[in-house]
Amino acid sequence: MTCACENKKMELIDLSLLDEMLLTYKDQPGISIPVLQKTQEIYGYLPRPALSKIARETGIDEAKLYGVATFYAQFRMLPVGKHMISLCQGTACHVNGANLIEDAVKDELGIENGETTPDGLFTLSVVACLGCCSLAPVMMIDQDTHARLTPDKTKAILRQYKKEG
Amino acid sequence: MRVVVGASSCGYAAGAQKVIDELNKIHIPVNLTGCVGMCHLEPIVDIYTDDDMYRFVHVQPDQVEGIIRDLSDSPSLIKPEDSQILAGQKRIVLRNCGVINPERIEDYIAIGGYKAYQAVREMEPDQVIDIIKQSGLRGRGGAGFPTWFKLNAAKNSPGKPKTMVCNADEGDPGAFMDRSIMEGDPHAVIEGMLIGAHVIGADEGIFYIRAEYPLSIRRMQLAIDQAKEHGLLDQISLRIKAGAGAFVCGEETALIASLEGERGMPRLKPPFPAQKGYFGNPTNINNVETLANIPFIIKNGAQAFTQYGTEKSPGTKVFALTGKVKKGGLVEVPMGVPLRHVIYDIGGGIIGDRDFKAVQMGGPSGGCIPKELLDTPVDYEHITQTGAIVGSGGMVVMDDTTCMVEMARFFLNFTCNESCGKCTYCRVGTKRMLEILDRITKGQGKKGDIELLEELSLKVKEGSLCGLGQTAPNPVLTTIRYFREEYEAHINDKKCPAKQCPELLTYLINDNCIGCTACAKACPTGAISGSLKEKHLIDQTKCIKCGACYNRCRFNAIDVN
């Protein structure tokens, strides 16, 4: 069996985008999480070559960085779509029918939790609680919160985003 | 005339931005404020005239002009019964939320803000600790540990530099008071932090805020910058550390590990953070709500605090009232009032006047309190006796359509996902419990499952290092304790009394059917047959129990058994 890595396309990313950020954090203790957060802000996810570069420049073991990145829910190892859907499955949303909303999103977009639509427009992420419990069920698309959802309303909102691209 | 728009996360989610845009369009100066707690009425617009205040609710952009033109004659004027919501409360922590502009330090100073900190600077640390001790303030994040004790321990610990940490990693699903306080009154949290820092001799303060709360992060940063400009940070530097999404980081040693850039896994106590915390130095960690109480106590004296609440649980507590309750939102009441008062008098009862079944308190670490115990006083001791916990103050109300076994499965699924994996019982035990609950809700429960769940619960509690594992079985134990017959119905009769577990349901069409074909069109598997204007039939072998027909039918012709 051959190693799958060889068949994988090399990720083409501009690593110089990290330079300025690395300079500000260099030689400070306990910086792995903010560095990874900034990296994700730059690329939208954590590309493996970026992790290697951060490890080289900061002296933090690459294995440790990978360990931190995979521990926290916020970090993603794969590119995401243009719009990030954070669908709330907190207690209040769950009690008020968040499952139906989740089904509606999956049905409309044809993706499961953590997946991205083939056109690269949406990524679905099911989250624990957005803190808008009184307006349940809710979902956030990028920075905008949509409240008191019904399956039909959810589909209409998604179609509006599709229309706007 | 001064126009104030409720601009917290819930306000924005309900459409406050469009209202603000509309006001800008007609050149009305807009003032922002935080959440007044009546989230179910957002967007809320308050208009102050020289001698009165008018509150408008559910405001739509197209109503804005009419409201401004005629204040007293608007359909969106708050109903008298809704304006009573605040009357049943005692607001100490939320005193400024929905009143002042959280983005202006001048507003906070104008109502006496930072006076407590100025007074503390002239006092000995022991004097301050003494006042907090007399107030009996206990940590509002969940454990209810005396605040003075932690401050005192950190003050007496040798070692420098010392650090103050504000735990704003509000991870309990169903609790959002910390978010609201940070969005509505950020300077109160900062003032509490500065007082604590003065007491223990800290030179750095860190706010650990959930990344899911972008508005909290923005407002807290703005408040820190303003405090700095006003010369309030001459003895301490303050900064924000955004969390990265891990429920376990609400546990203080896990939070410290996360601050140090590690995976957020709890550490053995002792040593406690007060002895060896952030990078091995003395650290004091307090929850947002706890810190926001401190300026009030210092300024008004311990007695002003202890006049509310009970002897062992003095003061007030903020609860996030959500779920199947009519008037959901944030509620601050003196400790010791009955649950019934919160749910019925303030919350207005159950949506659709259905039957109250249970209230879930304390999130995934808490439990479900049944109808028979509705008169339980809400304080640390009494709630703990029921098997639930006060926790951070989430109250999710459930009616007769909520399946308690499914609810236990929901929480176990959460804790199982969030277990950091360090302790075997928490990592594997919660997984096994989840598998059993999964089986039961799918109609594959076996005799002895309940006993097995109880046995595993005990072992997970005993064999876990931190609060996550020690409390993870609580939702299972309380639902077995109060709703054992529901478990038995699932296991023995393969029935879900609340009609929620899809695998245990049968959908049948009754004689109300007029043959409109709507259900057949809605069915995703083509399980429904029948001609136009004739009674339809569901093929049980094809039915996937999705409920689409039930939701579509307008003639009450679908029975669920």
Side-chain angles (χ1 to χ4, degrees), chain A residues 29-30 32-33 37 64 67-68 70-75 89-92 94-96 128-129 131 133-135 143 145 147-148, chain B residues 10 13 39-40 173-174 176 179 210 214 241-245 258-264 322 324 328-329 406-407 410-411 414:
Chain A
S32 57
I33 295 171
Q37 283 170 331
K64 189 182 157 186
V68 170
T70 49
F71 184 85
Y72 294 97
Q74 185 191 12
F75 298 121
Q89 275 285 12
T91 321
H94 182 76
V95 171
N96 281 314
C129 186
C133 313
S134 302
L135 304 167
Q143 296 288 315
T145 312
R148 293 198 181 99
Chain B
C10 38
C39 311
H40 65 290
F176 54 95
R179 167 181 73 67
R210 271 185 96 191
K241 158 88 178 64
S258 180
L259 282 177
E260 293 171 353
E262 307 284 334
R263 287 163 76 98
T322 60
K324 305 274 179 152
E406 205 285 322
M407 219 49 228
F410 169 77
F411 283 116
F414 180 83

Side-chain angles (χ1 to χ4, degrees), chain B residues 92-344:
Chain B
I92 291 178
V93 175
L94 300 178
R95 61 195 178 278
N96 299 327
C97 290
V99 181
I100 64 167
N101 184 337
E103 300 192 354
R104 284 169 46 89
I105 191 172
E106 295 81 4
D107 280 30
Y108 184 68
I109 291 172
I111 51 157
Y114 289 112
K115 282 231 170 89
Y117 177 52
Q118 265 145 19
V120 161
R121 288 171 72 127
E122 308 296 319
M123 289 157 77
E124 286 301 315
D126 283 336
Q127 278 177 285
V128 183
I129 288 178
D130 211 42
I131 298 173
I132 297 172
K133 186 176 179 182
Q134 282 166 24
S135 78
L137 176 64
R138 297 168 66 171
R140 297 296 195 238
F145 203 74
T147 305
W148 75 270
F149 191 92
K150 288 195 338 189
L151 284 167
N152 197 41
K155 186 201 75 153
N156 291 336
S157 279
K160 280 255 164 196
K162 293 184 182 179
T163 309
M164 274 296 283
V165 176
C166 171
N167 183 349
D169 190 43
E170 188 173 52
D172 273 7
F176 54 95
M177 58 286 295
D178 292 350
R179 167 181 73 67
S180 232
I181 298 165
M182 288 187 284
E183 288 175 6
D185 196 11
H187 286 287
V189 189
I190 292 178
E191 190 174 6
M193 189 86 153
L194 293 177
I195 293 170
H198 177 79
V199 168
I200 70 163
D203 38 27
E204 187 181 32
I206 308 171
F207 296 89
Y208 188 96
I209 308 178
R210 271 185 96 191
E212 286 88 339
Y213 289 173
L215 188 61
S216 295
I217 294 179
R218 197 171 67 73
R219 292 225 168 117
M220 285 301 299
Q221 187 59 55
L222 190 66
I224 291 171
D225 295 344
Q226 290 170 346
K228 195 169 182 180
E229 279 165 25
H230 276 70
L232 290 158
L233 308 187
D234 54 339
Q235 295 183 351
I236 184 173
S237 66
L238 296 181
R239 67 182 166 98
I240 291 173
K241 158 88 178 64
F247 175 68
V248 69
C249 288
E251 200 281 339
E252 53 185 12
T253 58
L255 190 151
I256 288 172
S258 180
L259 282 177
E260 293 171 353
E262 307 284 334
R263 287 163 76 98
M265 293 164 108
R267 295 165 183 173
L268 196 64
K269 290 194 277 191
F272 292 94
Q275 302 156 321
K276 280 187 187 306
Y278 183 51
F279 285 114
N281 290 315
T283 305
N284 178 258
I285 303 182
N286 272 304
N287 157 271
V288 173
E289 191 184 335
T290 317
L291 288 175
N293 267 308
I294 292 178
F296 175 88
I297 292 168
I298 301 293
K299 203 166 126 206
N300 302 288
Q303 225 268 316
F305 190 73
T306 53
Q307 65 171 302
Y308 303 106
T310 64
E311 197 192 331
K312 285 184 176 165
S313 305
T316 58
K317 173 82 190 90
V318 184
F319 293 99
L321 191 58
T322 60
K324 305 274 179 152
V325 65
K326 279 182 191 161
K327 299 170 183 174
L330 280 188
V331 172
E332 183 173 355
V333 288
M335 289 272 197
V337 301
L339 264 174
R340 187 187 298 278
H341 173 68
V342 179
I343 296 168
Y344 281 89

Side-chain angles (χ1 to χ4, degrees), chain A:
Chain A
M1 208 163 90
T2 54
C3 176
C5 311
E6 289 167 16
N7 302 331
K8 207 173 157 194
K9 255 198 313 195
M10 269 300 287
E11 291 167 271
L12 291 171
I13 58 160
D14 181 2
L15 288 175
S16 68
L17 296 175
L18 293 169
D19 292 344
E20 199 187 325
M21 181 265 294
L22 285 171
L23 218 57
T24 44
Y25 281 109
K26 216 170 178 181
D27 300 326
Q28 287 180 41
I31 43 116
S32 57
I33 295 171
V35 165
L36 292 176
Q37 283 170 331
K38 291 276 179 210
T39 307
Q40 187 155 294
E41 259 175 48
I42 296 171
Y43 301 106
Y45 71 111
L46 299 177
R48 283 297 288 273
L51 291 187
S52 306
K53 173 162 172 158
I54 295 166
R56 269 198 314 275
E57 305 265 325
T58 60
I60 304 172
D61 286 341
E62 192 170 347
K64 189 182 157 186
L65 277 178
Y66 191 76
V68 170
T70 49
F71 184 85
Y72 294 97
Q74 185 191 12
F75 298 121
R76 299 179 293 262
M77 310 305 285
L78 291 170
V80 288
K82 185 176 169 199
H83 299 297
M84 189 73 194
I85 305 172
S86 305
L87 188 114
C88 185
Q89 275 285 12
T91 321
C93 287
H94 182 76
V95 171
N96 281 314
N99 282 341
L100 298 175
I101 309 304
E102 192 176 332
D103 289 345
V105 174
K106 289 175 175 172
D107 185 44
E108 180 67 27
L109 302 179
I111 50 171
E112 291 293 316
N113 182 22
E115 292 180 354
T116 303
T117 49
D119 60 4
L121 207 50
F122 298 99
T123 298
L124 172 63
S125 163
V126 176
V127 300
C129 186
L130 294 171
C132 292
C133 313
S134 302
L135 304 167
V138 299
M139 69 174 172
M140 241 170 123
I141 300 184
D142 305 327
Q143 296 288 315
D144 293 324
T145 312
H146 301 272
R148 293 198 181 99
L149 295 172
T150 59
D152 287 343
K153 189 173 165 188
T154 308
K155 288 187 176 183
I157 291 167
L158 292 174
R159 279 172 202 159
Q160 190 60 33
Y161 274 88
K162 277 186 192 167
K163 216 161 98 188
E164 287 163 16

